Amino acid sequence: MDFLQECQDRGIDLDNTPWIMMEHINTDCDHYHMIVLTTKFDGSRLDTGFIGKKAAKAAWTASKKNGLHFAEGLEKRETQSGSLSTIR
């Protein structure tokens, strides 16, 4: 899954971390929600520094790569402000 690889590329270690993803289809725009626990299977803690921005960048990149729709305004933020561009 491209999103998981994009997360890994940004330092979000999901291989050793409990997570679940749900599809949300009862809205005008189908989308996914992901819940990630911060304690890994080995008892260590997940690095959550900038995790929201890193995950948003991963989602945006995976969406662009696969020709998918992404949240309105996200591309504008990515291309104009550079806020996502500064997060690897």
Side-chain angles (χ1 to χ4, degrees), residues 18-88:
W19 60 270
I20 187 168
M21 187 176 288
M22 295 81 53
E23 185 176 15
H24 193 179
I25 58 173
N26 63 343
T27 65
D28 291 341
C29 181
D30 295 351
H31 60 280
Y32 295 87
H33 292 273
M34 185 173 192
I35 298 170
V36 179
L37 298 183
T38 58
T39 302
K40 298 179 181 186
F41 290 117
D42 64 7
S44 64
R45 302 285 292 172
L46 179 68
D47 178 6
T48 57
F50 297 102
I51 195 169
K53 289 185 179 191
K54 290 176 183 178
K57 176 67 175 180
W60 186 84
T61 304
S63 295
K64 290 287 280 190
K65 187 184 295 186
N66 291 286
L68 301 174
H69 170 78
F70 41 87
E72 186 177 328
L74 190 57
E75 183 169 31
K76 184 177 178 181
R77 276 195 336 224
E78 167 63 14
T79 57
Q80 288 182 354
S81 72
S83 63
L84 289 177
S85 296
T86 59
I87 302 298
R88 183 169 153 23

Side-chain angles (χ1 to χ4, degrees), residues 2-14 55 58:
D2 285 333
F3 173 70
L4 297 178
Q5 184 59 53
E6 293 293 335
C7 285
Q8 193 74 23
D9 292 348
R10 286 162 179 76
I12 303 173
D13 176 22
L14 297 175

